[in-house]
Amino acid sequence: MEFIDALSGGFSSLSTLPIALALIVGAALGIVVGVLPGVGPGVTIAVLLPFTYGMPPLGGISLLLGVYCGAFYGGAVTSILIRTPGEASSIMTMFDGYPLARQGQAQRALSLAFMSAFVGGIASALLLGLVARPMASFAGKFGAAENVMAILLAAVCIGKAYRRQFPAAMMMMGLGFFLATVGIDPNSNEQRYTFGIPGMLSGIPLVPVAVGLFGIAQALVMVSSPVPQFDSSLIQSAGLSWRGFLEPFRYPKAMLKGLFLGSAIGVLPAVGAALSTSLAYFWAQKGAKDPTPFGQGNPEGIVAAECANNSNSGGAMITVLTLGIPGDAITAIIMGVFVVHGIVPGPSLFTDRPEIINGVLASLLIINFVILGLLILTVKPLARLAYVNPKILGLVILVLGFVGSYSAANSMYYVIIAAVFGVFGLVCARGNIPTIPLILGMVMGDTLEASLRQLLGRSDGSLEPFVTRPMSLAMLIAIVVILFWPFFMALGKRFQRSNTSNPS
Amino acid sequence: MSSLQARLARWSWDRFFLLALSFIAVCVWYFSTQLIQPYPHNANWFESAALFPKLSLLIVAVAGLIEIYQRRHQMASGESEELDSSAANIQDAISMVVAFALYMLAVPFLGYLISTLLFLSVGCWLLRFDFRTSMLLAITLSVTMWVVFVKVLKVYFGHAWLI
């Protein structure tokens, strides 16, 4: 009942023209950027972020959520038709989508993908509605110790998601934490690392850093890389089939596997849609109903991958709304909209601004309907966007990056920051150093520092509260286990080996 | 060539970059007493404004050194997880960065429309587009951007010599 009330409240929050328009524009933009070569939702959201400042908070959030969800759908178009995934998370769709398209069944493959993504999107929005409130009331019991541990746990999970690049990811996370401290210290009014530059007194703002790292760096790569060649013969065959739309429901097992993995992994920080789609794809292979081999056009491969792909969005928003911890770069930037409007994501948001929570839930539901409607109307011309030269898009992103960072504060200082971080992002990309942890560190840094100082101030510098409070201790143990898991595994293997070589 | 020089010659530039970042982090950590004004000399360590930034810098330095060690022993992954720039022509990227820097400098003097038009024209030339495409693209895009941002969204770029 509470859920229904929340949903109807959310629908009424969205029923103003600017918010509804933002939602539709965001969804349309998301689909387009999903299809456009080289442009991802991260770039678009970073460039759009400054323009959301003048909007009502829910309008800005709906616009960015539209881009976020729309790109998941759009990415499938190029995966199926030209064997080039629009997003990393669409790779698994390509394995069976492209062979189906080559067999003259492009319309069936696209319909399968869109309907599966739609089911995933709706299920994840419902999950958000059902899980977020109880989780927020649980998180409401968190004190400073739990906040510190939750952020540290998220940081370690993010680092571990980069597998062998763990130290590089942690280095960038540390850099993000440090950048968040630049400016006037809110507790003691001391000027920290401002180098006497007046603009830096207010700190290093998130917007130009995001525009630089995701927008300008990506644009520089696009303008300096050769134009990718692809087989465009199947683009003409883009379309949809009504039978294909109903087909995913013939494979409920594959659908459930995708939904389960997508939602569960979506909640974990930084693990992301790419892993959930590949796990769902391989899981769907076991006990598949359709006899077609996977990789040669099995519809269940598309269903599992697309369900998992689009069910990530709701899961990723759960940690943002309930804990104030973003799971990836996109949700970190979306969190920026909250912060700019003076809204602090976390458990208190559910009591202070319930209309925002309900609005996000309703947006996620409506966005999926809007996207499906737009795809039905425009899939044919949409597929042609794959022809657009990425170098031209790179130039456009540079110009938009300039005006986007400038307009955030009508200041050239912001453009300079964006340009510096753009070049830094390019150098990091060349050196294979991840930059997403930097943004996440910047977003979480303020809360981490405030909670840490609050805790240490109360305990006179003692670290005891971290181990005396059960939730904090549990998270601390989780951090230690995650950090030292490879050592435990190695120890286990050595023990096993010594047992097999010496059975007595 | 000494053994140190020979060893350094084998270092890839990304390890130098990581080393530079770690070194800068150590320097900033060390000079924090000058970079935090006024420095809280009398504050307890746990109340100090320097605690968190110093901890962050420590993470940067230590993690950077571990990453260098991993790369030295080829334990780090060779593939980019985020932005694949392996095919990028670095000269083209540098030219575009220079053009962008000039664009930033030009806007306060020449105005948004003219600067954008010039930047796009130079950008198209750097990307080796033919003259007709370049002009069509530069004029259409710059006028569209000007109308949308300056006229409709009222982004104010200050007084300039031109528009």
Side-chain angles (χ1 to χ4, degrees):
Chain A
M1 193 61 198
E2 195 186 9
F3 174 67
I4 303 290
D5 287 344
L7 205 57
S8 63
F11 286 132
S12 63
S13 306
L14 295 177
S15 59
T16 62
L17 184 67
I19 297 178
L21 213 61
L23 196 143
I24 294 168
V25 170
L29 264 176
I31 301 170
V32 169
V33 300
V35 179
L36 285 173
V39 188
V43 181
T44 317
I45 287 177
V47 172
L48 279 178
L49 180 61
F51 303 113
T52 61
Y53 289 4
M55 295 181 180
L58 204 51
I61 294 165
S62 299
L63 179 84
L64 301 188
L65 280 177
V67 176
Y68 183 34
C69 297
F72 282 128
Y73 286 83
V77 176
T78 46
S79 288
I80 290 169
L81 296 178
I82 60 170
R83 208 170 178 270
T84 307
E87 304 306 318
S89 55
S90 305
I91 291 173
M92 305 318 284
T93 308
M94 178 185 83
F95 288 148
D96 288 285
Y98 184 69
L100 263 183
R102 296 284 296 172
Q103 293 159 23
Q105 299 183 54
Q107 298 183 353
R108 180 186 168 209
L110 285 169
S111 309
L112 265 165
F114 293 156
M115 184 44 85
S116 307
F118 176 76
V119 172
I122 296 292
S124 83
L126 293 175
L127 180 84
L128 173 72
L130 292 170
V131 172
R133 211 165 283 272
M135 202 166 149
S137 63
F138 175 69
K141 292 170 189 145
F142 277 18
E146 287 80 8
N147 279 339
V148 170
M149 281 300 149
I151 293 175
L152 289 182
L153 181 60
V156 170
C157 287
I158 290 161
K160 279 286 173 185
Y162 284 91
R163 296 185 292 274
R164 282 190 288 175
Q165 281 185 314
F166 176 72
M170 291 316 287
M171 179 189 184
M172 297 309 264
M173 182 80 70
L175 191 56
F177 287 154
F178 171 72
L179 292 175
T181 68
V182 173
I184 294 178
D185 175 34
N187 289 349
S188 55
N189 287 333
E190 281 137 0
Q191 292 180 24
R192 299 193 289 187
Y193 310 99
T194 57
F195 296 93
I197 301 167
M200 284 176 78
L201 287 175
S202 54
I204 295 180
L206 177 74
V207 175
V209 177
V211 170
L213 285 180
F214 300 122
I216 294 179
Q218 173 82 60
L220 290 173
V221 169
M222 286 165 80
V223 294
S224 56
S225 300
V227 178
Q229 301 298 316
F230 56 82
D231 173 16
S232 59
S233 57
L234 293 172
I235 286 183
Q236 305 302 326
S237 57
L240 297 170
S241 82
W242 294 109
R243 272 185 65 194
F245 264 134
L246 297 175
E247 204 180 339
F249 300 102
R250 283 174 53 197
Y251 312 109
K253 264 191 192 171
M255 212 182 243
L256 284 172
K257 285 172 184 174
L259 289 177
F260 172 72
L261 282 172
S263 311
I265 290 176
V267 180
L268 301 176
V271 182
L275 179 70
S276 63
T277 53
S278 50
L279 287 179
Y281 182 84
F282 292 117
W283 194 14
Q285 288 187 6
K286 289 176 186 155
K289 198 171 153 188
D290 194 285
T292 318
F294 274 70
Q296 290 177 29
N298 190 311
E300 285 181 73
I302 302 175
V303 172
E306 281 300 313
C307 266
N309 191 6
N310 214 23
S311 54
N312 255 268
S313 49
M317 286 307 289
I318 289 176
T319 48
V320 173
L321 296 176
T322 58
L323 299 170
I325 297 175
D328 55 24
I330 297 172
T331 45
I333 303 171
I334 292 176
M335 223 176 107
V337 183
F338 286 91
V339 176
V340 162
H341 288 281
I343 302 165
V344 183
S348 57
L349 189 61
F350 285 75
T351 46
D352 297 346
R353 303 289 299 269
E355 80 282 4
I356 298 283
I357 299 288
N358 300 339
V360 169
L361 169 63
S363 302
L364 275 174
L365 276 173
I366 296 176
I367 280 166
N368 283 286
F369 283 97
V370 171
I371 293 171
L372 196 65
L374 287 172
L375 283 168
I376 291 170
L377 294 172
T378 62
V379 70
K380 257 185 183 300
L382 194 71
R384 292 202 185 96
L385 287 175
Y387 287 120
V388 176
N389 187 336
K391 286 178 187 278
I392 295 176
L393 291 174
L395 269 181
V396 175
I397 293 170
L398 282 175
V399 175
L400 282 173
F402 175 91
V403 73
S405 45
Y406 178 87
S407 63
N410 274 7
S411 162
M412 211 42 111
Y413 167 63
Y414 275 47
V415 187
I416 294 168
I417 292 179
V420 168
F421 278 92
V423 174
F424 181 74
L426 178 71
V427 175
C428 287
R430 291 291 290 187
N432 190 20
I433 301 163
T435 51
I436 290 174
L438 191 151
I439 287 286
L440 295 170
M442 275 188 85
V443 171
M444 298 190 292
D446 284 337
T447 318
L448 179 59
E449 185 185 14
S451 303
L452 187 66
R453 284 170 82 174
Q454 189 190 350
L455 176 98
L456 292 175
R458 273 195 208 149
S459 66
D460 258 355
S462 165
L463 299 174
E464 217 179 274
F466 286 126
V467 287
T468 50
R469 293 178 66 100
M471 267 313 293
S472 164
L473 180 65
M475 286 191 270
L476 180 64
I477 292 170
I479 292 170
V480 173
V481 169
I482 293 169
L483 273 178
F484 295 101
W485 186 251
F487 298 104
F488 296 145
M489 292 290 283
L491 269 180
K493 271 184 192 164
R494 191 178 290 179
F495 181 71
Q496 213 172 9
R497 226 178 290 143
S498 68
N499 266 2
T500 46
S501 62
N502 185 13
S504 61
Chain B
M1 196 187 269
S2 71
S3 66
L4 179 71
Q5 277 177 317
R7 221 180 280 172
L8 282 177
R10 283 202 301 270
W11 269 51
S12 54
W13 74 268
D14 57 314
R15 275 190 275 154
F16 272 115
F17 179 65
L18 286 164
L19 188 65
L21 282 179
S22 298
F23 180 71
I24 292 168
V26 171
C27 289
V28 175
W29 189 90
Y30 185 76
F31 290 108
S32 285
T33 45
Q34 277 109 65
L35 294 171
I36 298 180
Q37 288 300 328
Y39 190 80
H41 287 287
N42 298 323
N44 289 319
W45 68 271
F46 54 88
E47 286 168 338
S48 169
L51 170 69
F52 189 71
K54 278 184 152 183
L55 278 176
S56 310
L57 289 166
L58 200 67
I59 296 173
V60 176
V62 173
L65 292 175
I66 297 173
E67 180 70 16
I68 292 169
Y69 175 82
Q70 286 205 348
R71 288 184 186 217
R72 167 77 183 82
H73 295 278
Q74 273 143 16
M75 287 150 76
S77 160
E79 276 175 33
S80 174
E81 305 259 344
E82 290 178 359
L83 181 58
D84 181 15
S85 65
S86 52
N89 179 336
I90 210 68
Q91 277 180 338
D92 283 357
I94 292 171
S95 330
M96 201 53 77
V97 169
V98 172
F100 192 76
L102 292 173
Y103 176 41
M104 284 192 321
L105 292 173
V107 170
F109 299 102
L110 301 179
Y112 181 69
L113 177 64
I114 301 295
S115 306
T116 307
L117 183 68
L118 286 173
F119 170 69
L120 286 171
S121 311
V122 171
C124 288
W125 174 71
L126 288 172
L127 299 178
R128 297 164 204 95
F129 290 153
D130 63 75
F131 182 75
R132 219 173 126 235
T133 315
S134 302
M135 283 301 106
L136 194 72
L137 202 72
I139 293 169
T140 319
L141 268 175
S142 50
V143 171
T144 311
M145 298 275 182
W146 182 72
V147 169
V148 171
F149 294 111
V150 179
K151 292 289 157 192
V152 179
L153 294 174
K154 307 281 181 205
V155 178
Y156 179 64
F157 286 95
H159 280 294
W161 298 338
L162 302 167
I163 42 168

